[in-house]
Amino acid sequence: MLQNKIIIGNWKMKKDLNESLVAAEKFALKFQDFHDDDKEVVICPNFVSLFEVGKILKNSDLKLGAQDVFWENSGSYTGEISPTTLIQAGASYVIIGHSERRKHLLEDYNMIHQKVKAVLEVEGLIPILCIGEENEDRKSDRRDFILLNQIQQALNGLNIGEYKKIIIAYEPVWAIGSGTVLEADEVLYASKIIRKAIADIFGQKMVEENFRVIYGGSVNSQNVKELSSLENMEGLLVGGASLDAEEFFKICERI
Ligand code: PGA
C-alpha cells in the first residue's frame, strides 16, 4: 500500500483566469509551511490558467494537475490538449472521466480508456480516473455492477508498467456538489469493490503498489475526519471546498 495520502482540489470552471491567479497566490502563501511527507496536495485549475498557476505554485509543496486531456500526443484535433503539453505546463496529474464530462461532453467508455492509455504512455503524468454510480443505480442495487463495469471499460487491456501510478477516484455522481456525503461504511464498501475489480485485472500486488483509491463528493473540513479514518482511505478529490484556501487547508490538515 502506498503510504501517503493525496488531496486533490478540482477548481472545475469555477474560477476564471484572474481568479485562478489570485487564488494560486493565496494557496501558495497558506501552504508555504505545509510540509508533510505523508500528504501530497494537488490543485487542478482550468487549462488556460494551468501554466501560470503552476509557476506560482512552484515554490510551494503544492502540485499541479489538469482537469482533462486528449488521447493523442499531436495531430489535427482542434481544441484538444495533449499529455505532453500538460507535462510541459507543469502538471503531474490529470483528471480523466469526471462525471461532469461524461454528462455534458458525452465522454464515453472508449474515450476514457484511450485517455488513460495515452497518459500512461508518457513519463511524468499520473491519471486520476473518476468513476461512480448515479443515484438510481444505488437505489436499484446496481452499484457494484456499475463500478466494476467502469473499471473494466477504462482499464482492461492496459499495460501498466512497474513504476506507473494510477489514482481511482470513487465519486458517486449524486454526492457531487450536493452536500450529501456517503456514510463512511458505504465508502469503505465501494472502495473494497473497486480494489477487488482492479485485482481481478492486474493482481493484488499491483493494487497495492500502483493504485490509490480515493473518495470524492461533497467533502469539506467538517466531514473529512470521519472519511479519512476509514481503512484503506488513500485520499480525497475535493470540488467546492477546494476553492477557498482556508477551507482547503483545513481539509489537508485534518485528513
Ligand atoms: P464537490 O465536487 O466536492 O463539490 O462535491 C467533487 C468533484 O466533482 O470532484
Side-chain angles (χ1 to χ4, degrees):
M1 173 120 356
L2 292 154
Q3 295 296 312
N4 66 349
K5 298 199 179 199
I6 188 159
I7 309 104
I8 302 159
N10 174 13
W11 286 353
K12 308 192 179 184
M13 206 184 73
K14 295 195 173 178
K15 290 185 191 295
D16 61 24
L17 174 59
N18 294 341
E19 289 162 348
S20 297
L21 300 184
V22 171
E25 298 281 1
K26 282 192 189 149
F27 276 66
L29 196 65
K30 185 75 200 167
F31 280 83
Q32 67 182 351
D33 296 321
F34 186 87
H35 304 295
D36 191 334
D37 290 341
D38 295 333
K39 295 175 191 175
E40 213 175 326
V41 186
V42 183
I43 302 288
C44 303
N46 63 45
F47 277 146
V48 173
S49 311
L50 199 65
F51 186 54
E52 288 299 323
V53 167
K55 283 204 269 184
I56 297 169
L57 300 184
K58 237 189 186 111
N59 296 323
S60 74
D61 276 349
L62 296 170
K63 298 196 174 148
L64 189 69
Q67 298 178 14
D68 184 35
V69 65
F70 193 60
W71 58 77
E72 295 287 346
N73 240 324
S74 151
S76 304
Y77 304 104
T78 303
E80 294 300 330
I81 311 281
S82 70
T84 298
T85 305
L86 294 183
I87 295 167
Q88 290 170 353
S92 42
Y93 291 88
V94 58
I95 298 172
I96 296 177
H98 192 283
S99 60
E100 287 153 12
R101 294 195 60 82
R102 294 185 198 241
K103 180 177 171 200
H104 300 294
L105 283 302
L106 307 184
E107 275 196 11
D108 62 21
Y109 287 136
N110 183 40
M111 294 177 191
I112 291 164
H113 176 85
Q114 291 197 66
K115 288 181 179 192
V116 178
K117 183 165 183 278
V119 168
L120 290 174
E121 279 167 4
V122 294
E123 283 306 319
L125 198 57
I126 297 178
I128 303 160
L129 170 67
C130 298
I131 59 167
E133 80 284 358
E134 299 277 351
N135 207 9
E136 308 87 74
D137 302 323
R138 177 180 178 239
K139 285 190 195 142
S140 59
D141 262 349
R142 277 167 49 86
R143 174 181 47 199
D144 298 11
F145 167 76
I146 298 285
L147 295 181
L148 223 98
N149 191 34
Q150 287 179 345
I151 296 263
Q152 284 175 352
Q153 300 269 3
L155 302 180
N156 242 344
L158 291 186
N159 183 13
I160 299 177
E162 202 181 336
Y163 300 105
K164 292 286 177 184
K165 306 286 181 208
I166 299 187
I167 296 173
I168 309 287
Y170 170 53
E171 297 205 300
V173 178
W174 52 273
I176 296 175
S178 66
T180 314
V181 195
L182 249 66
E183 294 292 330
D185 57 350
E186 269 194 80
V187 177
L188 188 62
Y189 176 79
S191 86
K192 283 183 180 160
I193 296 281
I194 291 165
R195 283 198 171 77
K196 170 90 177 59
I198 305 167
D200 285 348
I201 305 174
F202 300 105
Q204 188 58 31
K205 188 166 180 279
M206 277 210 140
V207 177
E208 283 160 24
E209 291 175 3
N210 301 69
F211 284 86
R212 266 196 274 203
V213 181
I214 67 173
Y215 171 79
S218 294
V219 175
N220 58 39
S221 60
Q222 301 307 310
N223 56 34
V224 64
K225 261 258 156 293
E226 195 186 351
L227 287 167
S228 56
S229 64
L230 289 174
E231 172 201 352
N232 280 344
M233 165 56 64
E234 294 174 304
L236 298 167
L237 180 51
V238 187
S242 75
L243 298 172
D244 177 67
E246 299 289 330
E247 170 70 358
F248 191 55
F249 187 80
K250 277 188 206 156
I251 294 174
C252 298
E253 261 186 334
R254 289 177 188 174
I255 188 176

mmCIF file of all heavy atoms in Angstrom, residues 8-12 14 95 98-100 130 169 171-180 215-220 236-243 251, ligand 1:
data_model
loop_
_atom_site.group_PDB
_atom_site.id
_atom_site.type_symbol
_atom_site.label_atom_id
_atom_site.label_comp_id
_atom_site.label_asym_id
_atom_site.label_seq_id
_atom_site.Cartn_x
_atom_site.Cartn_y
_atom_site.Cartn_z
ATOM 1 N N ILE A 8 -6.731 16.227 -3.649
ATOM 2 C CA ILE A 8 -6.737 16.895 -4.951
ATOM 3 C C ILE A 8 -7.875 17.918 -4.991
ATOM 4 O O ILE A 8 -9.039 17.571 -4.759
ATOM 5 C CB ILE A 8 -6.938 15.853 -6.077
ATOM 6 C CG1 ILE A 8 -5.828 14.806 -6.009
ATOM 7 C CG2 ILE A 8 -6.964 16.535 -7.447
ATOM 8 C CD1 ILE A 8 -6.178 13.505 -6.706
ATOM 9 N N GLY A 9 -7.533 19.162 -5.273
ATOM 10 C CA GLY A 9 -8.543 20.213 -5.390
ATOM 11 C C GLY A 9 -8.896 20.420 -6.852
ATOM 12 O O GLY A 9 -8.019 20.693 -7.675
ATOM 13 N N ASN A 10 -10.164 20.240 -7.174
ATOM 14 C CA ASN A 10 -10.636 20.407 -8.547
ATOM 15 C C ASN A 10 -11.432 21.708 -8.626
ATOM 16 O O ASN A 10 -12.549 21.786 -8.133
ATOM 17 C CB ASN A 10 -11.514 19.193 -8.904
ATOM 18 C CG ASN A 10 -12.179 19.324 -10.272
ATOM 19 O OD1 ASN A 10 -11.818 20.196 -11.054
ATOM 20 N ND2 ASN A 10 -13.141 18.450 -10.539
ATOM 21 N N TRP A 11 -10.812 22.719 -9.239
ATOM 22 C CA TRP A 11 -11.475 24.033 -9.307
ATOM 23 C C TRP A 11 -12.546 24.085 -10.394
ATOM 24 O O TRP A 11 -13.222 25.104 -10.547
ATOM 25 C CB TRP A 11 -10.431 25.136 -9.553
ATOM 26 C CG TRP A 11 -9.588 25.460 -8.351
ATOM 27 C CD1 TRP A 11 -9.757 24.985 -7.073
ATOM 28 C CD2 TRP A 11 -8.461 26.356 -8.299
ATOM 29 N NE1 TRP A 11 -8.803 25.514 -6.246
ATOM 30 C CE2 TRP A 11 -7.992 26.361 -6.962
ATOM 31 C CE3 TRP A 11 -7.806 27.143 -9.241
ATOM 32 C CZ2 TRP A 11 -6.897 27.128 -6.554
ATOM 33 C CZ3 TRP A 11 -6.710 27.912 -8.833
ATOM 34 C CH2 TRP A 11 -6.270 27.908 -7.508
ATOM 35 N N LYS A 12 -12.662 23.048 -11.177
ATOM 36 C CA LYS A 12 -13.662 22.982 -12.262
ATOM 37 C C LYS A 12 -13.617 24.274 -13.099
ATOM 38 O O LYS A 12 -12.541 24.802 -13.351
ATOM 39 C CB LYS A 12 -15.048 22.723 -11.671
ATOM 40 C CG LYS A 12 -15.064 21.511 -10.739
ATOM 41 C CD LYS A 12 -16.440 21.063 -10.369
ATOM 42 C CE LYS A 12 -16.337 19.842 -9.451
ATOM 43 N NZ LYS A 12 -17.614 19.271 -9.115
ATOM 44 N N LYS A 14 -14.954 27.057 -12.006
ATOM 45 C CA LYS A 14 -15.493 27.988 -11.023
ATOM 46 C C LYS A 14 -14.597 29.192 -10.765
ATOM 47 O O LYS A 14 -14.948 30.061 -9.977
ATOM 48 C CB LYS A 14 -15.780 27.233 -9.735
ATOM 49 C CG LYS A 14 -16.875 26.190 -9.935
ATOM 50 C CD LYS A 14 -17.441 25.692 -8.637
ATOM 51 C CE LYS A 14 -18.639 24.803 -8.922
ATOM 52 N NZ LYS A 14 -19.213 24.248 -7.722
ATOM 53 N N ILE A 95 -7.039 14.698 -14.283
ATOM 54 C CA ILE A 95 -8.340 14.066 -14.027
ATOM 55 C C ILE A 95 -8.876 13.518 -15.355
ATOM 56 O O ILE A 95 -8.816 14.200 -16.381
ATOM 57 C CB ILE A 95 -9.337 15.101 -13.448
ATOM 58 C CG1 ILE A 95 -8.826 15.637 -12.100
ATOM 59 C CG2 ILE A 95 -10.732 14.490 -13.306
ATOM 60 C CD1 ILE A 95 -9.645 16.804 -11.548
ATOM 61 N N HIS A 98 -14.269 12.588 -15.507
ATOM 62 C CA HIS A 98 -15.130 13.160 -14.464
ATOM 63 C C HIS A 98 -16.588 13.052 -14.911
ATOM 64 O O HIS A 98 -16.892 13.218 -16.095
ATOM 65 C CB HIS A 98 -14.742 14.622 -14.216
ATOM 66 C CG HIS A 98 -15.381 15.168 -12.975
ATOM 67 N ND1 HIS A 98 -16.704 15.540 -12.930
ATOM 68 C CD2 HIS A 98 -14.897 15.369 -11.717
ATOM 69 C CE1 HIS A 98 -17.008 15.964 -11.707
ATOM 70 N NE2 HIS A 98 -15.919 15.863 -10.954
ATOM 71 N N SER A 99 -17.481 12.816 -13.980
ATOM 72 C CA SER A 99 -18.895 12.592 -14.358
ATOM 73 C C SER A 99 -19.494 13.809 -15.068
ATOM 74 O O SER A 99 -20.414 13.671 -15.878
ATOM 75 C CB SER A 99 -19.727 12.227 -13.132
ATOM 76 O OG SER A 99 -19.681 13.272 -12.196
ATOM 77 N N GLU A 100 -18.954 15.005 -14.764
ATOM 78 C CA GLU A 100 -19.475 16.193 -15.462
ATOM 79 C C GLU A 100 -19.102 16.161 -16.941
ATOM 80 O O GLU A 100 -19.847 16.635 -17.796
ATOM 81 C CB GLU A 100 -18.953 17.461 -14.764
ATOM 82 C CG GLU A 100 -19.651 17.680 -13.430
ATOM 83 C CD GLU A 100 -18.836 18.446 -12.393
ATOM 84 O OE1 GLU A 100 -17.791 19.021 -12.738
ATOM 85 O OE2 GLU A 100 -19.262 18.447 -11.218
ATOM 86 N N CYS A 130 -11.930 8.968 -12.696
ATOM 87 C CA CYS A 130 -13.137 9.120 -11.877
ATOM 88 C C CYS A 130 -14.182 8.081 -12.271
ATOM 89 O O CYS A 130 -14.482 7.911 -13.458
ATOM 90 C CB CYS A 130 -13.748 10.507 -12.078
ATOM 91 S SG CYS A 130 -12.675 11.845 -11.568
ATOM 92 N N ALA A 169 -10.629 7.640 -8.442
ATOM 93 C CA ALA A 169 -11.435 8.473 -7.559
ATOM 94 C C ALA A 169 -12.871 7.959 -7.588
ATOM 95 O O ALA A 169 -13.529 8.044 -8.632
ATOM 96 C CB ALA A 169 -11.370 9.932 -8.003
ATOM 97 N N GLU A 171 -16.370 8.608 -6.995
ATOM 98 C CA GLU A 171 -17.226 9.776 -6.799
ATOM 99 C C GLU A 171 -18.656 9.426 -7.173
ATOM 100 O O GLU A 171 -19.009 9.474 -8.366
ATOM 101 C CB GLU A 171 -16.763 10.936 -7.689
ATOM 102 C CG GLU A 171 -15.380 11.448 -7.396
ATOM 103 C CD GLU A 171 -15.241 12.893 -7.828
ATOM 104 O OE1 GLU A 171 -15.416 13.188 -9.023
ATOM 105 O OE2 GLU A 171 -14.980 13.732 -6.965
ATOM 106 N N PRO A 172 -19.485 9.068 -6.190
ATOM 107 C CA PRO A 172 -20.898 8.813 -6.510
ATOM 108 C C PRO A 172 -21.473 10.082 -7.145
ATOM 109 O O PRO A 172 -21.349 11.165 -6.559
ATOM 110 C CB PRO A 172 -21.533 8.545 -5.153
ATOM 111 C CG PRO A 172 -20.412 8.383 -4.190
ATOM 112 C CD PRO A 172 -19.218 9.058 -4.755
ATOM 113 N N VAL A 173 -22.069 9.955 -8.309
ATOM 114 C CA VAL A 173 -22.495 11.147 -9.058
ATOM 115 C C VAL A 173 -23.457 12.003 -8.220
ATOM 116 O O VAL A 173 -23.378 13.230 -8.220
ATOM 117 C CB VAL A 173 -23.147 10.721 -10.397
ATOM 118 C CG1 VAL A 173 -23.633 11.935 -11.167
ATOM 119 C CG2 VAL A 173 -22.153 9.938 -11.240
ATOM 120 N N TRP A 174 -24.310 11.327 -7.478
ATOM 121 C CA TRP A 174 -25.333 12.026 -6.688
ATOM 122 C C TRP A 174 -24.747 12.748 -5.478
ATOM 123 O O TRP A 174 -25.407 13.577 -4.860
ATOM 124 C CB TRP A 174 -26.425 11.038 -6.261
ATOM 125 C CG TRP A 174 -25.857 9.821 -5.598
ATOM 126 C CD1 TRP A 174 -25.421 8.690 -6.205
ATOM 127 C CD2 TRP A 174 -25.607 9.634 -4.211
ATOM 128 N NE1 TRP A 174 -24.923 7.804 -5.292
ATOM 129 C CE2 TRP A 174 -25.036 8.359 -4.058
ATOM 130 C CE3 TRP A 174 -25.821 10.424 -3.066
ATOM 131 C CZ2 TRP A 174 -24.670 7.850 -2.828
ATOM 132 C CZ3 TRP A 174 -25.455 9.912 -1.835
ATOM 133 C CH2 TRP A 174 -24.887 8.640 -1.723
ATOM 134 N N ALA A 175 -23.505 12.431 -5.130
ATOM 135 C CA ALA A 175 -22.896 13.080 -3.961
ATOM 136 C C ALA A 175 -22.099 14.321 -4.362
ATOM 137 O O ALA A 175 -21.745 15.142 -3.521
ATOM 138 C CB ALA A 175 -21.982 12.107 -3.228
ATOM 139 N N ILE A 176 -21.837 14.467 -5.672
ATOM 140 C CA ILE A 176 -21.012 15.595 -6.121
ATOM 141 C C ILE A 176 -21.799 16.901 -6.040
ATOM 142 O O ILE A 176 -22.888 17.005 -6.601
ATOM 143 C CB ILE A 176 -20.518 15.368 -7.571
ATOM 144 C CG1 ILE A 176 -19.591 14.153 -7.611
ATOM 145 C CG2 ILE A 176 -19.813 16.603 -8.105
ATOM 146 C CD1 ILE A 176 -19.135 13.772 -8.995
ATOM 147 N N GLY A 177 -21.250 17.841 -5.322
ATOM 148 C CA GLY A 177 -21.853 19.178 -5.219
ATOM 149 C C GLY A 177 -23.211 19.199 -4.547
ATOM 150 O O GLY A 177 -23.910 20.218 -4.575
ATOM 151 N N SER A 178 -23.616 18.088 -3.929
ATOM 152 C CA SER A 178 -24.967 18.006 -3.381
ATOM 153 C C SER A 178 -25.018 18.311 -1.892
ATOM 154 O O SER A 178 -26.086 18.509 -1.321
ATOM 155 C CB SER A 178 -25.522 16.592 -3.589
ATOM 156 O OG SER A 178 -24.758 15.693 -2.801
ATOM 157 N N GLY A 179 -23.857 18.318 -1.249
ATOM 158 C CA GLY A 179 -23.831 18.494 0.196
ATOM 159 C C GLY A 179 -24.095 17.181 0.928
ATOM 160 O O GLY A 179 -23.994 17.104 2.145
ATOM 161 N N THR A 180 -24.446 16.148 0.191
ATOM 162 C CA THR A 180 -24.694 14.838 0.817
ATOM 163 C C THR A 180 -23.438 13.987 0.685
ATOM 164 O O THR A 180 -22.967 13.745 -0.424
ATOM 165 C CB THR A 180 -25.812 14.078 0.048
ATOM 166 O OG1 THR A 180 -26.874 14.977 -0.191
ATOM 167 C CG2 THR A 180 -26.265 12.858 0.805
ATOM 168 N N TYR A 215 -11.657 9.073 -2.423
ATOM 169 C CA TYR A 215 -13.095 9.380 -2.447
ATOM 170 C C TYR A 215 -13.322 10.839 -2.821
ATOM 171 O O TYR A 215 -12.532 11.717 -2.456
ATOM 172 C CB TYR A 215 -13.724 9.090 -1.074
ATOM 173 C CG TYR A 215 -15.142 9.602 -0.992
ATOM 174 C CD1 TYR A 215 -16.186 8.885 -1.576
ATOM 175 C CD2 TYR A 215 -15.429 10.839 -0.398
ATOM 176 C CE1 TYR A 215 -17.477 9.382 -1.563
ATOM 177 C CE2 TYR A 215 -16.724 11.340 -0.390
ATOM 178 C CZ TYR A 215 -17.742 10.605 -0.967
ATOM 179 O OH TYR A 215 -19.018 11.108 -0.970
ATOM 180 N N GLY A 216 -14.413 11.092 -3.526
ATOM 181 C CA GLY A 216 -14.804 12.473 -3.816
ATOM 182 C C GLY A 216 -16.315 12.618 -3.794
ATOM 183 O O GLY A 216 -17.050 11.683 -4.121
ATOM 184 N N GLY A 217 -16.789 13.808 -3.427
ATOM 185 C CA GLY A 217 -18.229 14.076 -3.382
ATOM 186 C C GLY A 217 -18.590 14.784 -2.090
ATOM 187 O O GLY A 217 -18.687 14.153 -1.035
ATOM 188 N N SER A 218 -18.703 16.127 -2.167
ATOM 189 C CA SER A 218 -19.127 16.946 -1.028
ATOM 190 C C SER A 218 -18.230 16.817 0.205
ATOM 191 O O SER A 218 -18.708 16.909 1.337
ATOM 192 C CB SER A 218 -20.588 16.638 -0.659
ATOM 193 O OG SER A 218 -21.445 17.040 -1.700
ATOM 194 N N VAL A 219 -16.956 16.626 -0.027
ATOM 195 C CA VAL A 219 -16.013 16.588 1.099
ATOM 196 C C VAL A 219 -15.795 18.024 1.592
ATOM 197 O O VAL A 219 -15.664 18.945 0.785
ATOM 198 C CB VAL A 219 -14.650 16.000 0.655
ATOM 199 C CG1 VAL A 219 -13.630 16.079 1.782
ATOM 200 C CG2 VAL A 219 -14.825 14.576 0.157
ATOM 201 N N ASN A 220 -15.764 18.209 2.902
ATOM 202 C CA ASN A 220 -15.417 19.517 3.448
ATOM 203 C C ASN A 220 -14.663 19.339 4.770
ATOM 204 O O ASN A 220 -14.423 18.203 5.198
ATOM 205 C CB ASN A 220 -16.669 20.404 3.618
ATOM 206 C CG ASN A 220 -17.695 19.758 4.530
ATOM 207 O OD1 ASN A 220 -17.343 19.143 5.538
ATOM 208 N ND2 ASN A 220 -18.962 19.874 4.180
ATOM 209 N N LEU A 236 -8.490 12.154 -1.169
ATOM 210 C CA LEU A 236 -9.776 12.791 -1.451
ATOM 211 C C LEU A 236 -9.690 13.653 -2.709
ATOM 212 O O LEU A 236 -8.652 14.263 -2.983
ATOM 213 C CB LEU A 236 -10.169 13.690 -0.279
ATOM 214 C CG LEU A 236 -10.374 12.994 1.075
ATOM 215 C CD1 LEU A 236 -10.445 14.028 2.180
ATOM 216 C CD2 LEU A 236 -11.648 12.145 1.062
ATOM 217 N N LEU A 237 -10.795 13.690 -3.441
ATOM 218 C CA LEU A 237 -10.927 14.632 -4.551
ATOM 219 C C LEU A 237 -11.988 15.645 -4.116
ATOM 220 O O LEU A 237 -13.129 15.275 -3.814
ATOM 221 C CB LEU A 237 -11.356 13.884 -5.827
ATOM 222 C CG LEU A 237 -11.542 14.694 -7.099
ATOM 223 C CD1 LEU A 237 -10.347 15.573 -7.414
ATOM 224 C CD2 LEU A 237 -11.810 13.767 -8.287
ATOM 225 N N VAL A 238 -11.583 16.901 -4.062
ATOM 226 C CA VAL A 238 -12.435 17.922 -3.465
ATOM 227 C C VAL A 238 -12.791 18.990 -4.493
ATOM 228 O O VAL A 238 -11.901 19.548 -5.131
ATOM 229 C CB VAL A 238 -11.692 18.597 -2.275
ATOM 230 C CG1 VAL A 238 -12.612 19.549 -1.536
ATOM 231 C CG2 VAL A 238 -11.119 17.555 -1.330
ATOM 232 N N GLY A 239 -14.079 19.271 -4.653
ATOM 233 C CA GLY A 239 -14.513 20.301 -5.600
ATOM 234 C C GLY A 239 -14.744 21.618 -4.874
ATOM 235 O O GLY A 239 -13.811 22.382 -4.605
ATOM 236 N N GLY A 240 -16.000 21.882 -4.509
ATOM 237 C CA GLY A 240 -16.396 23.157 -3.896
ATOM 238 C C GLY A 240 -15.495 23.618 -2.760
ATOM 239 O O GLY A 240 -15.110 24.786 -2.700
ATOM 240 N N ALA A 241 -15.154 22.698 -1.883
ATOM 241 C CA ALA A 241 -14.373 23.078 -0.701
ATOM 242 C C ALA A 241 -12.888 23.300 -1.016
ATOM 243 O O ALA A 241 -12.110 23.614 -0.123
ATOM 244 C CB ALA A 241 -14.532 22.023 0.397
ATOM 245 N N SER A 242 -12.514 23.142 -2.286
ATOM 246 C CA SER A 242 -11.112 23.422 -2.636
ATOM 247 C C SER A 242 -10.944 24.827 -3.200
ATOM 248 O O SER A 242 -9.844 25.253 -3.545
ATOM 249 C CB SER A 242 -10.600 22.415 -3.678
ATOM 250 O OG SER A 242 -11.130 22.697 -4.965
ATOM 251 N N LEU A 243 -12.041 25.563 -3.299
ATOM 252 C CA LEU A 243 -11.971 26.894 -3.922
ATOM 253 C C LEU A 243 -11.378 27.937 -2.983
ATOM 254 O O LEU A 243 -10.834 28.946 -3.427
ATOM 255 C CB LEU A 243 -13.376 27.337 -4.372
ATOM 256 C CG LEU A 243 -14.038 26.450 -5.435
ATOM 257 C CD1 LEU A 243 -15.491 26.859 -5.647
ATOM 258 C CD2 LEU A 243 -13.270 26.511 -6.749
ATOM 259 N N ILE A 251 -8.929 20.980 5.402
ATOM 260 C CA ILE A 251 -9.131 19.601 4.929
ATOM 261 C C ILE A 251 -7.788 18.862 4.901
ATOM 262 O O ILE A 251 -7.672 17.736 5.387
ATOM 263 C CB ILE A 251 -9.790 19.590 3.530
ATOM 264 C CG1 ILE A 251 -11.204 20.146 3.624
ATOM 265 C CG2 ILE A 251 -9.798 18.189 2.929
ATOM 266 C CD1 ILE A 251 -11.905 20.310 2.288
HETATM 267 P P1 PGA B 1 -17.655 18.510 -4.743
HETATM 268 O O1 PGA B 1 -17.037 18.029 -6.134
HETATM 269 O O2 PGA B 1 -16.579 18.347 -3.707
HETATM 270 O O3 PGA B 1 -18.045 19.940 -4.962
HETATM 271 O O4 PGA B 1 -18.817 17.626 -4.455
HETATM 272 C C1 PGA B 1 -16.213 16.908 -6.228
HETATM 273 C C2 PGA B 1 -15.823 16.653 -7.643
HETATM 274 O O5 PGA B 1 -16.641 16.853 -8.548
HETATM 275 O O6 PGA B 1 -14.693 16.242 -7.912
#
